[in-house]
Amino acid sequence: MKSSTLLPLWAVAGVAYSPIDQYFHNGTCLLEAPSLLLGIDPMCGLDTSASTNLASSAGGPWKYAAPCNRSKKNGREYCVYSDPTFAGGRGAAFVTWAGRAAYLARKPAFTDGRATEGMNLDPGPKYKVVPMEGKGMGIVATRLINRGELIMASTASLMIDYGAFDDLDRNEYMQLQEEAAALLPWQHRDQLLNLSTHDDASTLAGPELVDKVISTNAFDIYPPGDDDDPDPDQSAFYTVFPEVARLNHDCRANADYRFDHAALAQLVHAVRPILPGEEITISYIDPLIGRARRAKRLRSTWGFECGCAACRASGAAAAASDARVAQLGELARELDDYGRGSRATPQMAELYASLLEMEGLWGMVYWGYWFAAIEWNGVGEPWVATRWAHMAIEYGIYSAGPRDRKVVDMVELAEDPWGHWSWMSRTRERQRGSRETDDE
């Protein structure tokens, strides 16, 4: 069973031979195509009536809803739901159960064509995919990309319900993954199955190849907690975006990503200016850990030695960085403490923000600005708090999105610091504690 993490689960993107050509060539189904299609791929001229009927009964946008495997554990039936016309013909396929398929079908991505406008576009002069020494393939800027600029927006190719991994046998969920890949339009399918598997893919075929591609290149996408249309399940979707999967790792990345639940798309923004010729990177791991732990995590999970500048730093520079990261953890614990004995101060919050800046953690720096706004408002300094709130909004929109909890919180503070929950919160708590001490 695949392990769950909030961070992306791909390895270094690279060129790997893919046996996809044994199944298809330029949209033509070859005679030796094995069970990959199981009679449901329209390009092979095979019978699709049973799948179409199932899709019709499932409702929503689904053109196909087969095959299905029923869990021996709880009786839940998982099927492949596919729409080859999704996002202007890019297509997408989902492995999930009927209730969750109906939930996905209500997303603006399916009900409002404007939701996916501007997605999956050719980058033009913005960046290019190139071979990179020791990394396979990577993405390099071809012009100046300003902080906050959208680099790419890619709709999901495959979304695999984590429940399938828990409820089905391995062979059963691997069959569904293979069918889901087969139902993508052929250009999209070629792009997906030619992603790196971080090893020799020539030894893989059929469901083993598809599973390896997915496990090497997928993100965990969690339900958004939308009260207007709640997800009927709280498990994550294991999701692949082929374009985003080409981005390599850096512990101090110059880009960050967020998932747009309405469009079912991954958005990648620059978190600092990126120069022409510079590689565009994201972080695969929690960057708020020391160098040794980062290296161990990357080695054990993705099988590569990190070569980013933060990991190549000299002993003294690495030790200073580790000390800053350790202090960030200490400060966060103090700032998260809203009890009467908390030692948190606005100056402590500003130090937290400064340490994030010094570490080059620009995708997380809005956290520091949020802390600073809360602490200054908590001691009755509304105008200083409002300045920090606007900084948190400006940086947070690109890293986390306009609906992120901290971003929304800062919008509310900037509009009315006196009516915000944090107004005078530290002062009141300390005055209350002081009175209780005097009474004793």
Side-chain angles (χ1 to χ4, degrees):
M1 185 180 71
K2 297 174 174 62
S3 61
S4 176
T5 174
L6 286 170
L7 295 165
L9 295 177
W10 61 79
V12 174
V15 177
Y17 166 77
S18 168
I20 182 64
D21 287 339
Q22 68 180 290
Y23 302 137
F24 302 97
H25 179 67
N26 292 334
T28 301
C29 181
L30 303 182
L31 294 178
E32 64 265 34
S35 62
L36 177 70
L37 304 176
L38 291 182
I40 58 173
D41 192 301
M43 288 190 297
C44 289
L46 303 175
D47 181 16
T48 62
S49 58
S51 176
T52 303
N53 289 339
L54 280 170
S56 178
S57 64
W62 315 117
K63 304 300 185 294
Y64 303 99
C68 302
N69 285 323
R70 188 176 297 278
S71 171
K72 301 179 184 67
K73 296 179 181 179
N74 56 23
R76 176 172 284 178
E77 187 174 48
Y78 291 87
C79 302
V80 178
Y81 296 87
S82 177
D83 178 10
T85 68
F86 176 71
R90 173 179 167 89
F94 307 80
V95 174
T96 190
W97 53 282
R100 218 168 184 201
Y103 162 76
L104 290 169
R106 293 191 294 270
K107 291 289 185 182
F110 288 109
T111 62
D112 184 352
R114 294 171 297 179
T116 57
E117 286 181 357
M119 305 285 179
N120 312 309
L121 297 179
D122 187 293
K126 189 177 297 185
Y127 66 82
K128 60 183 177 181
V129 180
V130 298
M132 306 200 74
E133 185 177 355
K135 297 183 179 181
M137 304 297 288
I139 294 181
V140 172
T142 53
R143 65 162 175 79
L144 173 65
I145 300 176
N146 293 304
R147 180 176 63 81
E149 186 174 346
L150 179 66
I151 298 173
M152 61 177 69
S154 301
T155 55
S157 299
L158 300 179
M159 295 186 72
I160 315 297
D161 195 322
Y162 254 93
F165 303 139
D166 295 328
D167 296 343
L168 300 177
D169 294 338
R170 184 172 186 269
N171 288 338
E172 292 175 330
Y173 76 68
M174 286 180 65
Q175 176 208 9
L176 297 182
Q177 289 180 156
E178 187 186 25
E179 298 295 342
L183 284 170
L184 295 174
W186 72 267
Q187 301 97 325
H188 192 176
R189 181 171 51 218
D190 279 359
Q191 183 186 22
L192 173 80
L193 293 183
N194 276 296
L195 288 173
S196 171
T197 59
H198 200 54
D199 52 20
D200 184 8
S202 64
T203 62
L204 303 174
E208 294 289 345
L209 170 65
V210 175
D211 185 65
K212 186 66 174 178
V213 167
I214 293 173
S215 63
T216 305
N217 295 281
F219 292 81
D220 282 343
I221 301 299
Y222 286 85
D226 191 341
D227 294 334
D228 296 328
D229 187 17
D231 191 325
D233 201 331
Q234 291 305 302
S235 63
F237 276 104
Y238 210 46
T239 308
V240 182
F241 312 87
E243 297 85 355
V244 184
R246 291 295 185 191
L247 291 166
N248 286 318
H249 166 79
D250 194 303
C251 293
R252 302 297 180 254
N254 54 29
D256 203 357
Y257 59 88
R258 64 178 177 85
F259 186 67
D260 184 329
H261 285 272
L264 299 178
Q266 198 81 304
L267 310 182
V268 180
H269 289 86
V271 294
R272 64 163 175 79
I274 303 173
L275 300 177
E278 184 178 0
E279 184 180 9
I280 303 172
T281 59
I282 56 177
S283 180
Y284 294 5
I285 59 174
D286 177 4
L288 289 178
I289 55 177
R291 181 170 70 167
R293 288 181 60 197
R294 295 197 309 269
K296 182 179 180 180
R297 173 73 188 280
L298 292 166
R299 190 183 309 116
S300 62
T301 305
W302 291 279
F304 69 89
E305 298 292 334
C306 184
C308 76
C311 288
R312 295 196 317 269
S314 67
S321 173
D322 284 350
R324 288 191 291 269
V325 168
Q327 189 163 45
L328 280 165
E330 296 169 2
L331 291 170
R333 286 187 289 274
E334 292 284 357
L335 293 166
D336 279 330
D337 182 0
Y338 288 93
R340 294 174 189 175
S342 173
R343 300 183 301 170
T345 65
Q347 292 77 12
M348 189 181 292
E350 289 189 3
L351 173 60
Y352 187 90
S354 294
L355 291 174
L356 288 174
E357 293 171 349
M358 281 187 272
E359 278 298 294
L361 294 172
W362 298 105
M364 303 178 67
V365 75
Y366 76 101
W367 292 13
Y369 302 158
W370 179 85
F371 274 133
I374 294 299
E375 292 303 321
W376 279 114
N377 213 43
V379 297
E381 291 286 350
W383 302 119
V384 181
T386 300
R387 177 173 69 87
W388 286 105
H390 281 299
M391 292 176 65
I393 294 166
E394 204 271 334
Y395 277 78
I397 283 175
Y398 302 115
S399 296
R403 298 183 63 184
D404 177 75
R405 179 182 61 83
K406 283 184 169 61
V407 174
V408 172
D409 195 35
M410 291 296 93
V411 170
E412 293 172 354
L413 190 154
E415 290 176 348
D416 181 11
W418 303 274
H420 191 263
W421 64 267
S422 64
W423 174 247
M424 295 292 287
S425 57
R426 292 294 191 193
T427 299
R428 285 197 303 269
E429 196 61 44
R430 285 163 183 156
Q431 288 175 343
R432 186 179 301 114
S434 178
R435 286 196 301 269
E436 291 179 358
T437 301
D438 292 342
D439 290 343
E440 292 174 359

